[in-house]
Amino acid sequence: MVNILYFSSMMYAIKRVVTLPLLLLPSVLMADAGAGERSVFNSVEYSVSLQGTASAGDYTPLWLNANRHGLSSLDNGNGYLRAALVRPLAADSARKWGLGYGLDLVGAVNFNSAFIVQQAFVEARWLHGVLTVGSKEYPMELKNNRLSSGSQTLGVNARPVPQVRLALPDYWPVPLTRGWVSLKGHIAYGMTTDGNWQENFSGGKNKYTTNTFYHSKAGYLKIGPEGRHVSLELGLEMAAQFGGTSYIPTGDGQMRKVENKQDFSSFVNAFIPGGSDVVETTYQNSEGNQLGSWLARLNFDYAGWGISVYADHFFEDHSQMFLLDYDGYGSGNEWNAKKDNRYLLYSLKDMMLGAELRLKKCKWVDAVVLEYLYSKYQSGPIYHDHNSNIPDHIGGVDDYYNHYIYSGWQHWGQVIGNPLYLSPAYNADGAIEVKNNRTVAWHLGVGGAPADGLRYRVLASYQKGYGRYLEPYPDPEDNFSLLLEADYSFPESHKLAGWGVRGGFGIDAGTLRGNNYGLQLTVMRTGVLNFDKKKSR
């Protein structure tokens, strides 16, 4: 019920501002065909980049490959050539409607694919609502995308999932609130593209799933009008994997093929968690792999500085979503009947806590982020389904980012959430699972722009990993990861205007990811194309 009420206000707002933009678009384009510089064939941004990474050790260091929308590789020597054409919706900011599109292609060496369609999308805006079809990189919400370690649910660590997405991308003031209450959010359905990779990586011997459907939704509420020094942001991010075909080892060298549900009810159950998986009998959970995060961020913003504190609480089911579990079952013949108004209360322990300091007048250090991540609890180490002899129900051992049917919260080997959870790409045994999801970590990010065109960032993370409840490490394994990165773009007055270069140095030290160090160099060329030159005069 809370889930329905939470998103009903967002759905109402989307309905108010989105009126079949794709159906209206052709007539709007014809009516605006002579709009000169506002032609939809102008303001197309192009970028070409060449990147190479050389490392020593077992893997590419963490922060040379993480939080790059999956465009990364753990191989010691890797690289890519990338070319993109993107027309942003901001090009039509002066009118009620907008059209955006993009194509982003990559040729890679020592990646999990030699040719990658990183982005391919078209999107239409009508007033504040946006409908996007295709694969597109989306930023994290309520966190610093450059300095944070990453969101726990909808992060920027994995390759984009092709989807149909309806969104209010920017805060929209709710009527009758005098600007004090604003909301934004999205609803999306799509399909993952890594089925063949999963089969190859697993060797056909470990669990994997092909043609998996994807669903995500999010709603964010902001309290405090624009211009105020203090504001509060609250959010709920939820996601699901469902449908597709799962292949599960049977223990005798064979694989069991499971055709998961994928009818209309499955799409409904992804949006409002319900139903059950096809392999379940007496004990039933919600259909598919359901997960999400509660978010909160308190902002203090002034002319010369600002500070924010935030929290990201991850959950795999209702035991951590509401910190409650029903525990009022009967006994004997009524062992599976709900008899009493009794609940089990869980602790609020698993959390990412963060603080961001913004120094608006200091070039050398303009932002500092500090984060603490704790994920050891996971509703406790005991899981017990009630039965005729013991009616108590304890829903522990949540096993974050993993699932007993699906290959977990990952895409192309990288976790979709926070990369401090150990991605399946690290697994030498071909298991598509997160082997370390019980962890304690500290993360520091520092950034600045000491000169025109020059920016830098420093990321430093220390974590101690405990494995999983089902497969704990004999001894905790630790890891320290460091990134020193700087990029320079030549000014418009320079003969090399449009060119840029980025260099990075990364280190891993410890038993969790091994001892690795590496260098990364990227050369970039960017600019703007106006294909409709005649009309843009």
Side-chain angles (χ1 to χ4, degrees):
M1 179 60 69
V2 173
N3 190 32
I4 298 173
L5 293 175
Y6 188 88
F7 286 103
S8 62
S9 59
M10 185 185 74
M11 290 294 294
Y12 172 77
I14 291 176
K15 183 178 179 181
R16 295 274 297 180
V17 298
V18 181
T19 309
L20 300 179
L22 289 184
L23 296 179
L24 293 176
L25 192 56
S27 60
V28 175
L29 292 178
M30 293 178 63
D32 201 57
E37 68 276 10
R38 297 191 304 170
S39 168
V40 296
F41 301 106
N42 289 338
S43 302
V44 178
E45 300 174 358
Y46 74 86
S47 63
V48 179
S49 57
L50 179 65
Q51 182 180 102
T53 304
S55 305
D58 295 325
Y59 308 105
T60 298
L62 173 66
W63 294 123
L64 287 180
N65 78 84
N67 284 345
R68 298 167 191 259
H69 294 281
L71 197 57
S72 59
S73 171
L74 293 180
D75 285 9
N76 293 132
N78 64 79
Y80 66 74
L81 175 63
R82 181 179 188 180
L85 291 174
V86 176
R87 185 180 192 272
L89 283 173
D92 293 323
S93 60
R95 50 190 172 191
K96 291 183 178 180
W97 65 271
L99 176 68
Y101 47 83
L103 183 62
D104 186 358
L105 306 177
V106 181
V109 177
N110 290 335
F111 276 48
N112 50 26
S113 297
F115 177 73
I116 301 168
V117 181
Q118 182 70 4
Q119 300 183 89
F121 65 90
V122 61
E123 54 188 349
R125 175 184 58 79
W126 179 253
L127 298 180
H128 301 287
V130 176
L131 178 64
T132 306
V133 179
S135 178
K136 183 183 179 182
E137 297 177 350
Y138 294 100
M140 294 184 291
E141 298 285 353
L142 310 192
K143 294 182 181 68
N144 187 310
N145 278 257
R146 184 173 170 82
L147 300 180
S148 172
S149 66
S151 288
Q152 295 204 81
T153 298
L154 302 180
V156 294
N157 188 56
R159 199 177 297 182
V161 176
Q163 58 193 261
V164 178
R165 179 181 175 113
L166 185 62
L168 282 170
D170 301 310
Y171 279 115
W172 176 71
V174 176
L176 306 178
T177 65
R178 297 184 179 182
W180 275 87
V181 179
S182 303
L183 58 84
K184 64 179 178 179
H186 80 269
I187 299 170
Y189 284 92
M191 178 180 286
T192 58
T193 59
D194 64 345
N196 289 337
W197 173 85
Q198 287 194 37
E199 183 177 4
N200 293 333
F201 184 83
S202 68
K205 299 177 181 179
N206 294 291
K207 178 184 60 184
Y208 68 95
T209 308
T210 62
N211 300 321
T212 306
F213 284 112
Y214 166 94
H215 167 64
S216 69
K217 54 182 172 285
Y220 309 93
L221 191 70
K222 183 178 181 181
I223 303 173
E226 290 295 327
R228 292 276 179 169
H229 295 311
V230 182
S231 63
L232 174 64
E233 297 174 272
L234 303 172
L236 173 60
E237 298 178 345
M238 296 187 69
Q241 295 166 305
F242 65 103
T245 304
S246 296
Y247 298 86
I248 304 173
T250 58
D252 57 358
Q254 303 297 314
M255 299 291 285
R256 177 189 178 189
K257 182 179 179 180
V258 177
E259 295 288 354
N260 298 306
K261 300 176 184 177
Q262 47 193 6
D263 54 15
F264 178 76
S265 66
S266 297
F267 286 80
V268 174
N269 289 333
F271 180 71
I272 304 174
S276 62
D277 291 315
V278 294
V279 299
E280 293 178 329
T281 54
T282 303
Y283 301 107
Q284 296 184 350
N285 298 297
S286 296
E287 181 180 350
N289 182 24
Q290 301 273 356
L291 51 100
S293 287
W294 290 106
L295 306 175
R297 180 181 174 101
L298 180 62
N299 307 298
F300 300 89
D301 227 340
Y302 297 89
W305 63 279
I307 189 170
S308 300
V309 292
Y310 54 90
D312 181 337
H313 170 59
F314 183 75
F315 56 84
E316 284 274 3
D317 53 33
H318 55 273
S319 63
Q320 281 301 296
M321 183 177 185
F322 299 114
L323 304 179
L324 288 173
D325 219 345
Y326 183 78
D327 191 28
Y329 295 97
S331 59
N333 294 332
E334 296 182 311
W335 69 273
N336 204 26
K338 294 182 178 181
K339 303 291 292 184
D340 301 319
N341 188 22
R342 188 174 64 166
Y343 294 85
L344 183 65
L345 178 65
Y346 296 93
S347 299
L348 179 59
K349 292 182 178 180
D350 292 343
M351 189 86 69
M352 171 193 279
L353 300 175
E356 178 185 349
L357 174 65
R358 299 175 295 281
L359 303 173
K360 303 176 183 179
K361 298 182 179 181
C362 181
K363 292 184 177 181
W364 283 95
V365 178
D366 59 21
V368 179
V369 168
L370 179 64
E371 294 176 336
Y372 171 73
L373 173 63
Y374 184 96
S375 65
K376 288 178 60 180
Y377 179 54
Q378 301 190 28
S379 301
I382 299 174
Y383 182 90
H384 178 263
D385 278 315
H386 62 285
N387 55 47
S388 57
N389 294 319
I390 304 177
D392 296 301
H393 175 82
I394 303 175
V397 194
D398 287 341
D399 203 11
Y400 292 168
Y401 287 17
N402 291 315
H403 193 264
Y404 74 110
I405 294 177
Y406 293 92
S407 51
W409 195 231
Q410 67 83 43
H411 196 214
W412 289 90
Q414 294 281 7
V415 296
I416 301 176
N418 190 296
L420 293 177
Y421 295 87
L422 196 65
S423 290
Y426 285 92
N427 299 339
D429 60 359
I432 307 177
E433 61 187 16
V434 175
K435 291 182 178 290
N436 178 59
N437 56 22
R438 298 183 63 239
T439 194
V440 178
W442 287 92
H443 172 80
L444 175 68
V446 180
D452 291 342
L454 177 64
R455 287 196 59 83
Y456 79 89
R457 64 172 177 163
V458 177
L459 305 180
S461 306
Y462 173 77
Q463 69 179 122
K464 183 170 288 188
Y466 297 83
R468 307 163 57 193
Y469 275 130
L470 299 178
E471 296 182 44
Y473 293 150
D475 296 300
E477 298 189 2
D478 63 355
N479 182 84
F480 173 76
S481 295
L482 175 69
L483 172 69
L484 306 175
E485 184 181 83
D487 55 86
Y488 180 76
S489 300
F490 289 93
E492 293 184 5
S493 58
H494 198 279
K495 63 180 180 180
L496 292 178
W499 287 91
V501 61
R502 178 185 301 123
F505 173 68
I507 294 175
D508 288 337
T511 55
L512 186 61
R513 289 182 172 86
N515 298 312
N516 315 299
Y517 59 91
L519 293 170
Q520 188 174 84
L521 181 65
T522 310
V523 179
M524 303 158 286
R525 170 67 171 165
T526 60
V528 179
L529 299 175
N530 290 313
F531 292 104
D532 198 350
K533 294 181 179 180
K534 181 178 179 180
K535 292 181 180 180
S536 62
R537 292 174 182 170

